[in-house]
Amino acid sequence: MAVARVTGAVVAAVCVAAIVSFFLCTNYRSKSLSPKKKRRNGLIDAIGNTPLIRVNSLSDATGCEIFGKAEFLNPGGSVKDRVAVKIIEEALESGELARGGVVTEGSAGSTAISLATVAPAYGCKCHVVIPDDAAIEKSQILEALGASVERVRPVSITHRDHYVNVARRRALEAKEVASKQRKSKKNGDEDVKHINGYTSEGEKQSSVFSSDCTGGFFADQFENLANFRAHYEGTGPEIWEQTGGNVDAFVAAAGTGGTVAGISRLLKEKNSNVKCFLIDPPGSGLFNKVTRGVMYTREEAEGRRLKNPFDTITEGIGINRLTQNFMMAELDGAFRGTDTEAVEMSRFLLKNDGLFLGSSSAMNCVGAVRVAQSIGPGHTIVTILCDSGMRHLSKFYDPQYLSQHGLTPSATGLEFLDFK
């Protein structure tokens, strides 16, 4: 009987263990196979939901909890992936863009790279017009991604050959090519590019677009509010959720203004006490616009106006006009950053945190420290780590280039931001 009792107990224990194991495995399997958490449907679903990481060195130095949204972990390597997806999807939904069409954009780099990355997932192509003073690796990346690239000299936005204006024209040209192709097919004509062996000037201009092009769409990242919506609907809510609503301040630089606008407005709606700030690079007028209500910089003083007032090593941030996106921002103040601070910050973070960041990301971290100094310790501050340093090797991380501009880093700590 004793043996029987032991055996019964063992059997009972085995049964209980089996039942517990079944439920545990079932629960684990259901979680591990959850489409939202583990499986993503192609490239597009891999964009967003980036980690919010504690920047340990800056947090420890300031007494604040400083977090960076690691947007450089998006498939296209930057925060602009979100914008590219939103712009293309809204254009497809509205009918302004169709599969086989060409998305054109004037961009200093990141938005263009993101558009070139995601466009093929929608059956589209990409044509980019880029200022020729942008880091050469950005053009190389774009070409490797299959985009056609046009490099133009930097000029004022009011000039017809500013890279944004050229990109707008290219979209119209793509539409003309598509329209002529449709007419020629309808009429049974020969290929419109070669009629009686002759190629017109118009077709020569549009030769960058293939005969199967279904149209063109100008992404217009500066004025297209899909940019703002990408961050209002995506990045902002993610930050709120990842901090558990425990965020005291947000800071970021602005180029198009979409990121700072979308996130600031969302956070303010969640909690009006959240303070939102701009960090502005040299040559940009946004600092004065936020702090004084006037868009003006010393570079624009009479007799000192420069052909290219953005004499700064940072790329993709700073502007001297108000965009539709930036006007959606809700800001409590602004800080002025310098090239020296951005360079020094990038090296400090690489040395102390292993973070290899691009110029705008470094400037954002300068902003985070300035905010910490302003509001004092014990607060939670969030900024954006826009992209990595991989796209900035020929300028921002090139010792010779930095030496020529008097920007060779020399700090051993955060003394460049008045920290001992």
Side-chain angles (χ1 to χ4, degrees):
M1 291 297 292
V3 173
R5 283 196 297 272
V6 172
T7 303
V10 171
V11 170
V14 170
C15 289
V16 171
I19 292 171
V20 171
S21 177
F22 171 78
F23 281 109
L24 286 174
C25 289
T26 301
N27 187 47
Y28 173 76
R29 186 179 295 118
S30 66
K31 288 183 177 180
S32 64
L33 297 183
S34 170
K36 291 184 179 179
K37 292 188 176 180
K38 295 294 179 181
R39 289 182 178 173
R40 297 189 179 185
N41 185 21
L43 176 80
I44 303 305
D45 278 3
I47 293 172
N49 294 308
T50 54
L52 187 69
I53 63 175
R54 183 179 188 266
V55 185
N56 293 332
S57 63
L58 301 184
S59 297
D60 295 343
T62 62
C64 287
E65 289 296 296
I66 294 180
F67 292 94
K69 191 85 163 99
E71 291 296 294
F72 58 84
L73 294 178
N74 279 310
S78 84
V79 66
K80 295 298 186 177
D81 281 14
R82 299 174 184 266
V83 178
V85 166
K86 193 66 173 172
I87 286 176
I88 291 178
E89 288 188 346
E90 288 192 5
L92 289 169
E93 289 171 6
S94 69
E96 294 182 78
L97 177 68
R99 290 183 67 85
V102 177
V103 181
T104 73
E105 183 58 294
S107 170
S110 290
T111 301
I113 290 171
S114 292
L115 285 168
T117 298
V118 306
Y122 294 100
C124 299
K125 297 179 181 179
C126 188
H127 179 79
V128 180
V129 185
I130 189 171
D132 61 13
D133 60 348
I136 189 62
E137 55 266 32
K138 293 186 178 181
S139 291
Q140 294 170 334
I141 292 170
L142 285 165
E143 290 170 348
L145 288 169
S148 51
V149 181
E150 225 177 312
R151 290 176 70 90
V152 300
R153 64 189 180 92
V155 292
S156 166
I157 186 66
T158 59
H159 195 290
R160 72 181 304 273
D161 289 331
H162 183 275
Y163 60 94
V164 170
N165 297 328
V166 174
R168 183 182 288 107
R169 289 204 301 276
R170 294 295 178 257
L172 293 175
E173 291 169 7
K175 287 181 181 179
E176 291 175 5
V177 168
S179 176
K180 290 177 180 178
Q181 288 297 329
R182 285 192 295 270
K183 288 179 181 178
S184 68
K185 288 180 181 178
K186 183 178 179 180
N187 298 328
D189 294 339
E190 299 177 44
D191 186 337
V192 73
K193 284 187 179 180
H194 301 282
I195 299 177
N196 296 328
Y198 174 74
T199 303
S200 72
E201 284 301 314
E203 274 71 53
K204 285 179 182 177
Q205 270 193 322
S206 301
S207 61
V208 293
F209 305 115
S210 61
S211 59
D212 60 352
C213 169
T214 62
F217 173 74
F218 176 47
D220 198 13
Q221 61 167 327
F222 287 89
E223 308 301 334
N224 190 337
L225 288 179
N227 184 346
F228 160 80
R229 287 188 286 272
H231 299 293
Y232 177 78
E233 298 172 8
T235 324
E238 287 176 26
I239 290 173
W240 183 258
E241 181 180 353
Q242 289 170 320
T243 58
N246 179 29
V247 54
D248 298 299
F250 168 74
V251 61
T256 64
T259 304
V260 72
I263 296 173
S264 66
R265 184 168 285 260
L266 185 282
L267 294 179
K268 289 282 192 180
E269 287 182 5
K270 292 291 186 181
N271 181 357
S272 60
N273 292 322
V274 177
K275 301 298 182 183
C276 297
F277 299 93
L278 172 79
I279 178 72
D280 212 29
S284 175
L286 295 180
F287 171 81
N288 284 333
K289 181 62 180 178
V290 173
T291 59
R292 303 177 188 175
V294 179
M295 181 72 78
Y296 179 82
T297 67
R298 63 180 178 82
E299 290 87 354
E300 293 181 306
E302 186 174 354
R304 298 185 61 184
R305 179 177 289 274
L306 307 176
K307 290 183 179 179
N308 181 23
F310 300 100
D311 189 14
T312 172
I313 195 172
T314 60
E315 293 186 359
I317 54 175
I319 194 170
N320 273 339
R321 71 182 193 276
L322 287 180
T323 66
Q324 291 296 317
N325 283 288
F326 186 80
M327 286 191 286
M328 299 295 289
E330 294 190 12
L331 299 173
D332 296 284
F335 299 91
R336 174 74 80 190
T338 69
D339 284 349
T340 296
E341 291 168 348
V343 171
E344 293 285 8
M345 177 61 77
S346 68
R347 273 52 173 191
F348 178 85
L349 293 174
L350 183 58
K351 176 183 177 181
N352 293 279
D353 298 87
L355 289 171
F356 182 43
L357 302 177
S359 58
S360 56
S361 301
M363 187 67 81
N364 283 351
C365 289
V366 169
V369 173
R370 290 303 188 201
V371 172
Q373 292 172 314
S374 175
I375 65 178
H379 296 91
T380 298
I381 301 167
V382 176
T383 192
I384 304 296
L385 307 182
C386 313
D387 66 356
S388 76
M390 294 300 292
R391 299 174 184 174
H392 303 264
L393 299 178
S394 64
K395 293 177 66 176
F396 195 66
Y397 281 95
D398 181 68
Q400 184 176 355
Y401 182 90
L402 294 179
S403 177
Q404 291 171 351
H405 291 79
L407 293 170
T408 300
S410 60
T412 57
L414 288 172
E415 62 266 26
F416 58 95
L417 291 176
D418 304 320
F419 270 86
K420 294 182 179 180

